[in-house]
Amino acid sequence: MTRNNIPKDHPRVHSLKIRSKMSDSFHSGILSQNGLIAHGRGEAFDYILGENTNKISLDTIRVATAQLLLSDSVISVNGNSAALCSKEIVKLAKLTNSKIEINLFHKSPTRVKKISQLLKKHGAIDIYGENKKYLTRVPGLKSNRKFIDKRGIFSSDVIFVPLEDGDRTEFLKKMNKTVITVDLNPLSRTSIMSDISIIDNLIRVLPEMIKQSKNMSNFSSTDLHNIVTKFNNQNQLQSILKFMSKRLIDLST
Ligand code: PTJ
């Protein structure tokens, strides 16, 4: 089914359109085949969340945005985040003065190039992670995510890793980085090991972060700092799990 022949009144029209976008992104070489599987796992968790941004996540998004505004930060882009939200990534990077770096698990120079072109089409100027001359390694990390840019992830304090698997966060933490993530799965290693884990769909999170960056643009560093220091990720994850459990119990009674 292509985007054009999805019936407008289909009850799952929004989800089908996104699937179709993902499938197009796979065929155009942005998304890895595994990215399609990752998307399906995300959809299942989103069902449990009610496909909505709840109050808990809204608060976490505020904390994450404040952290980006406060710090020397990088947004790490993979195939899925590029396929879903490249325009919003570029916008958020501009508003929060964050760098953009491409970092892939299923490494492919062709895919890096295509993702870079897509981000540039939406206005990105400097993209890190492309030029081999500047690549170094995350100490101890075995997967291809170990290749990071000296000018980007290597030298920044805060790394925003929307939607990824769980092998890198642990090593970024060992490098004393602050890690922000977006993952629909609150049980993933990434969600558990990050400093700020937004348990929500990236499609909803990025527009909200853009909105909140504009709202907070004139906040002082003290204001932003106060928002970040009050946050406790472990408590937040417990609240999300309780929220999901309650939804399932409510639906089953
Ligand atoms: O492009 P590459 O080569 O770097 O590969 C990217 C993927 C995503 C394929 C790779 O990092 C991977 O295999 O990730 P995982 O282990 O499948 O983890 C992805 C996580 O993202 C899962 O926990 C999903 O539930 C979650 N997820 C999927 N779609 C979304 C999502 N979280 C937020 N928003 C989504 N739209």
Side-chain angles (χ1 to χ4, degrees), residues 13 16 39 54 66 88 94 98 103 118 130 150 171 176 180 186 188 190-191 193 218 221 225 230 232 250:
V13 64
L16 290 176
H39 182 74
N54 54 60
E88 290 77 9
K94 284 193 178 150
S98 303
N103 179 283
L118 180 65
E130 260 190 299
K150 287 176 193 157
F171 291 93
N176 289 324
I180 303 174
S188 75
T190 303
S191 298
M193 305 210 85
N218 55 3
S221 354
H225 211 261
K230 277 187 203 139
N232 180 312
D250 289 351

Side-chain angles (χ1 to χ4, degrees), residues 30 32 34-35 37-39 41-43 45 78-80 84 103-107 111 115 145 163-166 182-185 188 200-203:
I30 300 281
S32 83
N34 298 276
I37 300 170
H39 182 74
R41 188 201 286 173
E43 278 186 337
F45 279 102
N78 63 16
N80 286 58
L84 288 170
N103 179 283
L104 302 183
F105 186 75
H106 305 283
K107 195 116 191 124
R111 212 147 60 82
I115 293 172
R145 287 204 193 282
L163 203 165
E164 80 167 45
D165 60 0
V182 179
D183 190 334
L184 279 157
N185 177 5
S188 75
D200 197 6
N201 197 321
L202 189 63
I203 287 250

Side-chain angles (χ1 to χ4, degrees), residues 42-234:
E43 278 186 337
F45 279 102
D46 210 9
Y47 250 84
I48 304 176
L49 279 172
E51 296 177 308
N52 249 319
T53 302
N54 54 60
K55 171 83 173 69
I56 307 161
S57 296
L58 213 51
D59 288 347
T60 313
I61 292 171
R62 186 159 188 264
V63 176
T65 312
Q67 181 72 81
L68 284 184
L69 286 167
L70 260 180
S71 327
D72 177 14
S73 49
V74 182
I75 306 179
S76 179
V77 179
N78 63 16
N80 286 58
S81 53
L84 288 170
C85 299
S86 42
K87 188 173 160 197
E88 290 77 9
I89 289 169
V90 176
K91 210 166 183 180
L92 182 68
K94 284 193 178 150
L95 287 165
T96 57
N97 206 14
S98 303
K99 294 169 195 153
I100 299 178
E101 178 163 337
I102 300 171
N103 179 283
L104 302 183
F105 186 75
H106 305 283
K107 195 116 191 124
S108 135
T110 320
R111 212 147 60 82
V112 171
K113 199 168 166 200
K114 294 209 168 180
I115 293 172
S116 172
Q117 284 166 349
L118 180 65
L119 292 164
K120 283 182 178 155
K121 195 180 105 187
H122 290 298
I125 296 166
D126 295 317
I127 308 271
Y128 299 108
E130 260 190 299
N131 190 336
K132 278 192 181 155
K133 193 171 97 181
Y134 295 105
L135 294 186
T136 182
R137 288 166 190 242
V138 174
L141 182 60
K142 298 274 186 314
S143 77
N144 276 328
R145 287 204 193 282
K146 62 180 172 263
F147 297 110
I148 53 170
D149 200 303
K150 287 176 193 157
R151 304 159 300 169
I153 291 176
F154 182 77
S155 54
S156 302
D157 302 324
V158 173
I159 323 295
F160 181 25
V161 291
L163 203 165
E164 80 167 45
D165 60 0
D167 71 334
R168 185 166 56 144
T169 303
E170 185 178 349
F171 291 93
L172 290 174
K173 293 298 304 159
K174 285 185 186 160
M175 291 175 81
N176 289 324
K177 309 285 183 192
T178 298
V179 182
I180 303 174
T181 191
V182 179
D183 190 334
L184 279 157
N185 177 5
L187 304 168
S188 75
R189 279 172 63 82
T190 303
S191 298
I192 292 166
M193 305 210 85
S194 296
D195 297 277
I196 305 172
S197 312
I198 304 166
I199 311 301
D200 197 6
N201 197 321
L202 189 63
I203 287 250
R204 296 189 293 271
V205 172
L206 287 183
E208 184 59 34
M209 286 181 95
I210 289 169
K211 194 171 121 194
Q212 296 210 18
S213 326
K214 289 179 185 162
N215 290 348
M216 286 191 251
S217 63
N218 55 3
F219 278 26
S220 68
S221 354
T222 317
D223 292 338
L224 295 171
H225 211 261
N226 284 339
I227 294 172
V228 172
T229 48
K230 277 187 203 139
F231 180 74
N232 180 312
N233 203 39
Q234 223 179 333

